[in-house]
Amino acid sequence: QVRPVESGGEPVQTGGSLRLSCDVSEYTRSDYCRGWFRQTPGREREWVANIDTGLGNSYTTDSVMGRFLISRDNAKNTVDLQMDDLKPEDTATYYCAAATTTSARGASCTRESVYNFWGPGTQVTVSS
């Protein structure tokens, strides 16, 4: 099956910016959550941001509040993550995910278990 595909991950210096993009064109007919997660070796996957398409709301985790912004580009069918003022602790593999199952309806889009489609990830490395 076609999976979400991330792009935009690159090495960057502290304080720099990146814009990640996720192609979700295959999931626009029936989806409830579109989210960004990140993971480093030895740690569990961490929720970063999401859009609840049903409610029309967006959220970001506290550690990136004021620095990251999730948005939708309906013309391109993408979900983007604008990342500003990057810090070394932001270094991780970033994953785009979509939730389309009926079980996702009414569930929290911050929970990893809600998502059923995951991209392969894109690496973001922030040098100190």
Side-chain angles (χ1 to χ4, degrees):
Q1 292 184 330
V2 177
R3 297 289 191 271
V5 179
E6 308 93 342
S7 63
E10 296 179 352
V12 66
Q13 294 184 350
T14 297
S17 297
L18 288 174
R19 187 175 183 86
L20 306 183
S21 183
C22 177
D23 182 357
V24 293
S25 59
E26 298 295 325
Y27 310 99
T28 57
R29 289 183 178 272
S30 180
D31 69 294
Y32 306 106
C33 309
R34 298 175 182 176
W36 284 96
F37 292 76
R38 65 186 182 186
Q39 187 173 30
T40 58
R43 299 182 180 182
E44 63 183 6
R45 189 138 50 187
E46 174 190 21
W47 167 73
V48 177
N50 75 269
I51 295 175
D52 185 323
T53 57
L55 298 176
N57 299 325
S58 61
Y59 308 89
T60 54
T61 191
D62 289 344
S63 63
V64 304
M65 186 72 68
R67 299 189 297 117
F68 292 9
L69 179 66
I70 187 171
S71 62
R72 300 177 64 180
D73 189 328
N74 292 328
K76 298 180 179 179
N77 287 322
T78 62
V79 177
D80 302 327
L81 186 68
Q82 179 65 43
M83 309 164 66
D84 296 327
D85 191 24
L86 284 161
K87 303 176 180 180
E89 52 262 42
D90 295 319
T91 295
T93 301
Y94 283 73
Y95 297 90
C96 176
T100 65
T101 63
T102 56
S103 62
R105 182 182 293 274
S108 174
C109 295
T110 66
R111 299 180 181 272
E112 180 179 353
S113 60
V114 171
Y115 296 84
N116 58 307
F117 288 105
W118 294 84
T122 186
Q123 180 65 35
V124 173
T125 301
V126 185
S127 60
S128 60

